[in-house]
Amino acid sequence: MQPDVSTDFLIIGAGFAGCVIGERLAAAGWKCVVVDRREHVGGNAYDETDAAGVLVHRYGPHYFRTNSPRVVDYLSRFTEWHAVDYTIKSFTRGRYWSFPVNLNTFEEYLGRSSSPEEFAGWLGRLRVPVNDPQNSEEIILAQVGREFYELFFENYTLKQWRRHPRDLDASVCGRIPLRTNRDDRYLAENFQALPKHGFAAMFGRMLEASPGLELHLGVDFQEARKRWPCRHLIYTGALDEYFAYRYGPLPYRSLRFEAESFSAEQLVGRRAVAGKSGYWQPVMQVNFPDMEVPYTRIVEMKHATGQTVDATTIIREYPKDWQRGGEPYYPVPAPDARVAYRRYATLAETEPNVSFVGRLATYRYYNMDQVIGMALAEAEKLILRYGSQSSRNIV
Ligand code: FAD
Ligand code: UDP
């Protein structure tokens, strides 16, 4: 450590980006201080057992999935896994629909049985020909045609983003798979599982494995940079906030979560809807495209965790505009937002000895595995630059 610094690395944010980099650098022998303004680790992936005894995800459902064996191998050092086929439904026109769109959805639409061939033929006639979809409207029209676009995507997207799908990148709605068979899993990645004892437990083991890492919760960046002068700063918060909103705030979308718990007795009347006792709804997530419904989805995480507990908890998600001081849950994937982000990214490139890592600092609509991959790559770069324990004096 240099005499004028109190830690080698100061890491702002104890979400996936901050904890993964911290764990890697501490394992290489460096002294790391990780801070978070929240009172817990895990960032938005944080989970906890609520007053009803149900394991819930405090900041919206976090379905771990990836095609990266490297990311799975890395996390498997800190957790075992509970395999889950994430299954959801959409609720509109007064009924539940299989979602994402698959052969079952088509049969529900027709009101009779069908075949992959008939469905493919139907799609072939309804699809709008677009060679290179440029936005979320074009990509869905090109995949399923106008009928299903209007039924499942247009209003849901307007509600979630307060933007029309044509004003969002194709990758936003393009995340949702389309299948002509009966595979109704929400996600397409090879590996789909939750940490067996939850995300918070996994983060706990990650930090336990890092004795050279000091964690301070309830501490903001401004205070941290004064308390711990460092050799290198790793910043995983919002990029515009780092620069004190010099060019104005970037656009974000925020959410309000509303939880409601039910005892076993209260759930008796829901058995017909849920299809089994002890649950409130038939699957872990139900999406609500209708504009009259103020929330976008209801999540009942017990379906996914497989937790055996009599009670259950559902969480309704209400999209809302972001304002300074609020939680910037989603960067907005759209051309105008990208232009605004580029100005900040140019400033970031000129910051000496600072790495900007994670979903908010790079303003990307990234899933957990993508952020973990980014953090592993940045840790490798830093170890190459500063060396590891055996070569600590090499700067
Ligand atoms: P974060 O998790 O946001 O962590 C950043 C941390 O930095 C926070 O704890 C914050 O408090 C702290 N911080 C920020 N600024 C400061 C500051 N100035 N001072 C101190 N601390 C600060 N991904 C999936 O793979 N599957 C899913 O199903 C999924 N569902 C999601 C649902 C929702 C509603 C949301 C919002 C995201 C979802 N994600 C999902 C994405 C996932 O949350 C992110 O990819 C991941 O958590 C990003 O990790 P991160 O460390 O970059 O950021
Ligand atoms: N989407 C939609 N209808 C749905 C589900 C998703 O139109 O029933 C669109 C919507 O724009 C949403 C995007 O697809 O923001 C990505 O959905 P996902 O469920 O992956 O969003 P996240 O879990 O990241 O909020």
Side-chain angles (χ1 to χ4, degrees), residues 12-18 35-38 40 42-45 59-65 219-221 235-238 241 255 257 297 317 329-330 357-360 366-369 371:
I12 309 302
F16 267 113
V35 307
D36 202 298
R37 55 159 65 124
R38 290 178 178 168
H40 60 75
N44 287 336
Y59 305 99
H62 277 69
Y63 306 132
F64 186 78
R65 76 294 198 128
V219 176
D220 191 80
F221 171 45
Y235 182 83
T236 76
E241 186 184 343
L255 295 171
F257 301 102
R297 55 191 180 190
E317 264 176 51
Y329 286 117
Y330 293 88
V357 189
R359 173 151 146 149
L360 290 174
Y366 262 9
N367 293 326
M368 293 179 278
D369 63 324
V371 168

Side-chain angles (χ1 to χ4, degrees), residues 64 67 89 91 134 148 205 218 238 290 327 331 334 357 360 373 383:
F64 186 78
N67 287 326
K89 289 203 180 291
F91 189 91
Q134 291 302 307
F148 283 175
R205 289 195 47 194
D290 295 357
E327 288 287 352
V357 189
L360 290 174
I383 289 168

Side-chain angles (χ1 to χ4, degrees), residues 144-162:
V144 296
R146 187 157 292 280
E147 183 81 8
F148 283 175
Y149 164 74
E150 287 178 357
L151 195 54
F152 299 119
F153 291 93
E154 189 174 27
N155 288 339
Y156 185 102
T157 299
L158 269 168
K159 193 157 59 164
Q160 166 72 1
W161 297 95
R162 195 129 81 90

Side-chain angles (χ1 to χ4, degrees), residues 318-329:
Y318 296 79
K320 62 174 195 178
D321 293 343
W322 176 81
Q323 280 157 348
R324 263 191 223 186
E327 288 287 352
Y329 286 117

Side-chain angles (χ1 to χ4, degrees), residues 90 99 152-153 156-157 160-161 172-173 175-176 186 285 287 297 330 365:
S90 185
F99 193 81
F152 299 119
F153 291 93
Y156 185 102
T157 299
Q160 166 72 1
W161 297 95
V172 177
C173 288
R175 286 161 65 87
I176 310 295
Y186 195 36
Q285 179 177 315
N287 290 358
R297 55 191 180 190
Y330 293 88
Y365 185 10

